[in-house]
Amino acid sequence: YKDKYILVCRKPAGLLCEGEGRDSLPMLLSEQLTTAGERAELFTVHRLDRETEGVVAFARSSTAAAKLSADIADGKWKKIYLAYLWGAPEDESGRLCDLLYYDRRLSKSFVVDRERKGVKSAELSYETVARSADGKRTLVRVELGTGRTHQIRVQFASRGTPLCGDRRYGAPKDSGSAIALAAVSLDVIHPKTNEPMHFEIEPENLEEYKD
């Protein structure tokens, strides 16, 4: 979807949500939208990990970016993910609350036990959708309460159920070839009309994990 204020698309796994290189989704989109030599500008207001496929929204003006960012801060966006876990969570459904610290040098998040500089609270809710026939994988539906770096990956990994294919957070080599995570739906408020908007995709990078 696109208009003068917002653009929403499917981000393939492997692209960044910001930057100016050839692996930058906003740069590639900007090139497609450029007309008469005038570069179309896009503003990143939220991010998905490079390895994550899913629905992502960009603002098309600084005013729209400010409105969308304020809505995110106010908790007005709803973001739903599907993930395959290696193993099974202790409960069929639940709410995970942790303190996370992101180490920029290691490009990795950690669950920590006390607040200090750089530590942020992280919350998500999940429910079990299905289990593989061999019992090794569990498909969960995740709703984010906060949007921390690698949040879903580290919160589940810290409980002994890393995402399939996620070597960085402890998944074994035989768990899969790609990180089994996709942002499958996004609910936003249009920055100009204030109308609710819903976007949803069928993920492609989870196919290898289906029975």
Side-chain angles (χ1 to χ4, degrees), residues 5 14 21 26 34 64 67 72 76 79 84 94 111 137 153 155 176 190 206 208 210:
Y5 310 97
T34 294
K67 176 63 166 59
I72 294 172
K76 294 180 179 179
K79 293 176 278 187
Y84 276 96
V111 172
R137 302 183 307 280
R153 299 163 63 182
Q155 285 196 273
H190 192 278
L206 300 185
E208 71 170 280
K210 294 182 178 179

Side-chain angles (χ1 to χ4, degrees), residues 62-82:
S62 57
T63 302
K67 176 63 166 59
L68 292 171
S69 296
D71 285 349
I72 294 172
D74 291 340
K76 294 180 179 179
W77 283 30
K78 182 178 181 181
K79 293 176 278 187
I80 302 296
Y81 293 73
L82 287 177

Side-chain angles (χ1 to χ4, degrees), residues 8-10 46 48 53-57 183-186 199-201:
V8 184
C9 67
R10 175 200 294 263
H46 74 123
L48 299 178
E53 171 194 13
V55 187
V56 63
V184 295
S185 78
L186 179 66
F199 302 94
E200 191 168 342
I201 64 165

